[in-house]
Amino acid sequence: MIHKTILVSLTALVIAATSSFAQDSHKSGPFEGAKANTGYVTHTTEGGNSVLTLSDDFKAPDTPDPHWQVVDSNGNTYLLQKLSIKGGKMNRKITVPKYVPDIAKVQIWCAFAETNLGEATFDQPMK
């Protein structure tokens, strides 16, 4: 009987956590740009941290040095992690540093050519 009570409690806890996680998810508009023009980005809060995740249909631009870059509501830009990593893989999910006050746009930035390859905008800045 005790095991059954514990199992039911844990199940309820998992459902509540999943529901709260789903409510804290915000989807951007589509990426628009010369090289990054597929997919979108999702903002979530995990453990008090802002997390950005690229959609499965996002295609990495074929450029030498693409990076994640975010723009806050005041227009300040923050160059973050490199998008492509060893082994032909991609940083599809990143944790935004605490010093970034909010996120109005997510850009894919080519650090080599110093140009915006495409950006996705949120309806409201994400905190």
Side-chain angles (χ1 to χ4, degrees):
M1 184 71 171
I2 292 175
H3 294 305
K4 194 175 203 179
T5 304
I6 291 172
L7 183 60
V8 169
S9 297
L10 286 175
T11 302
L13 182 63
V14 168
I15 290 171
T18 303
S19 297
S20 125
F21 177 76
Q23 292 172 355
D24 197 26
S25 176
H26 302 94
K27 180 179 167 183
S28 73
F31 273 98
E32 296 176 351
K35 297 279 185 179
N37 51 26
T38 59
Y40 57 90
V41 66
T42 303
H43 173 269
T44 55
T45 302
E46 297 177 16
N49 294 312
S50 285
V51 176
L52 297 172
T53 307
L54 294 169
S55 62
D56 290 338
D57 60 341
F58 177 83
K59 302 279 190 252
D62 187 24
T63 58
D65 200 17
H67 281 70
W68 285 83
Q69 181 165 281
V70 295
V71 181
D72 69 17
S73 57
N74 292 321
N76 299 311
T77 58
Y78 303 88
L79 187 62
L80 303 176
Q81 285 96 333
K82 190 169 178 161
L83 185 62
S84 52
I85 52 178
K86 289 183 180 181
K89 296 184 181 179
M90 186 177 5
N91 275 325
R92 297 192 77 80
K93 181 176 180 177
I94 64 165
T95 300
V96 180
K98 296 278 189 192
Y99 58 81
V100 177
D102 59 40
I103 305 160
K105 297 178 185 180
V106 175
Q107 298 177 333
I108 303 301
W109 179 260
C110 180
F112 177 78
E114 296 184 353
T115 190
N116 181 359
L117 302 171
E119 66 185 22
T121 305
F122 288 102
D123 289 338
Q124 301 175 39
M126 299 293 110
K127 295 192 182 220

